[in-house]
């Protein structure tokens, strides 16, 4: 769970794995058919594979898990089918109330990919959430090689990256911070 690379295509997923991603999360905004078409080949990449927002697509693609937002349906079905269940949390209350195997918490910092999201949480709130929950927390939102270690030092188990998905420095920063724990 060290580095989640949120990607839209197989080529970027492959580059992210070379850069050190331990999880690839397919995130395609579109129909289920578009998501499934984009996800063909991910299972063969040899790393943990998670599908964003769609339990049916995750099952069709043979994914290890599904990541659902607070309003997304399908958590019970995902669990019943043996998928790892990730949930998004943008507040302390959402984090402590979430039924999940891991949490994607953020945005930690302002980021263009979450321009419509809640205000940035910052490291202090990330640390508070990490101390309050018993499941792994993955920090997301504005994370790159320059601040990934800060998220780990605040208690996160890993980070999620979009723009920095193919930067090897992210994995290096995460590993260094985890090694210092």
């Amino acid at each position: 769970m060290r580095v989640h690379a949120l990607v839209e295509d197989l080529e970027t997923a492959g580059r992210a794995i070379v850069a050190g991603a331990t999880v690839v999360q397919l995130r395609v905004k579109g129909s289920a058919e578009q998501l499934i078409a984009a996800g063909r080949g991910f299972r063969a990449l040899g790393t943990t594979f998670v599908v964003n927002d769609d339990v049916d697509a995750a099952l069709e693609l043979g994914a290890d898990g599904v990541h659902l937002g607070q309003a997304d349906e399908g958590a019970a079905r995902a669990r019943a089918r043996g998928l790892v269940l990730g949930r998004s949390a943008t507040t302390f209350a959402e984090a402590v109330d979430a039924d999940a195997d891991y949490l994607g918490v953020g945005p930690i910092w302002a980021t263009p990919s979450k321009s419509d999201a809640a205000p940035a949480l910052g490291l202090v709130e990330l640390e508070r959430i990490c101390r309050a929950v018993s499941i792994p927390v993955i920090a997301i939102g504005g994370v790159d090689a320059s601040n990934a270690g800060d998220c780990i030092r605040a208690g996160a188990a890993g980070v999620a990256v979009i723009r920095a998905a193919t930067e090897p420095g992210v994995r290096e920063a995460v590993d260094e911070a985890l090694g210092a724990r």
Side-chain angles (χ1 to χ4, degrees):
M1 296 214 126
R2 292 173 182 226
V3 178
H4 282 234
L6 280 69
V7 300
E8 295 180 345
D9 60 76
L10 188 61
E11 179 185 339
T12 305
R15 289 195 342 259
I17 291 167
V18 168
T22 56
V23 176
V24 289
Q25 182 171 327
L26 180 61
R27 184 181 186 198
V28 173
K29 300 300 179 186
S31 69
E33 292 79 21
Q34 291 170 313
L35 182 60
I36 291 167
R40 301 244 183 260
F42 272 68
R43 179 71 276 149
L45 291 173
T47 193
T48 302
F49 170 39
V50 174
V51 171
N52 207 61
D53 295 341
D54 193 313
V55 175
D56 291 328
L59 293 169
E60 172 76 21
L61 292 166
D64 299 296
V66 63
H67 188 94
L68 301 174
Q70 291 290 319
D72 293 332
E73 296 180 11
R77 216 165 93 249
R79 285 208 183 277
R81 297 295 300 270
L83 293 174
V84 171
L85 177 60
R87 284 286 204 182
S88 297
T90 60
T91 66
F92 181 84
E94 287 177 352
V96 298
D97 289 341
D99 173 27
D101 297 311
Y102 74 89
L103 291 173
V105 173
I108 305 305
W109 292 281
T111 176
S113 66
K114 295 280 188 181
S115 60
D116 62 341
L121 294 172
L123 291 171
V124 171
E125 190 68 356
L126 174 62
E127 182 175 6
R128 186 176 102 138
I129 290 168
C130 291
R131 289 177 189 257
V133 301
S134 60
I135 59 176
V137 171
I138 307 303
I140 186 169
V143 177
D144 61 25
S146 72
N147 58 28
D150 295 332
C151 296
I152 302 303
R153 286 185 285 279
V159 298
V161 288
I162 300 172
R163 290 174 292 129
T166 58
E167 290 181 21
V170 173
R171 174 66 185 267
E172 293 165 9
V174 167
D175 287 349
E176 183 180 316
L178 285 170
R181 278 192 177 167

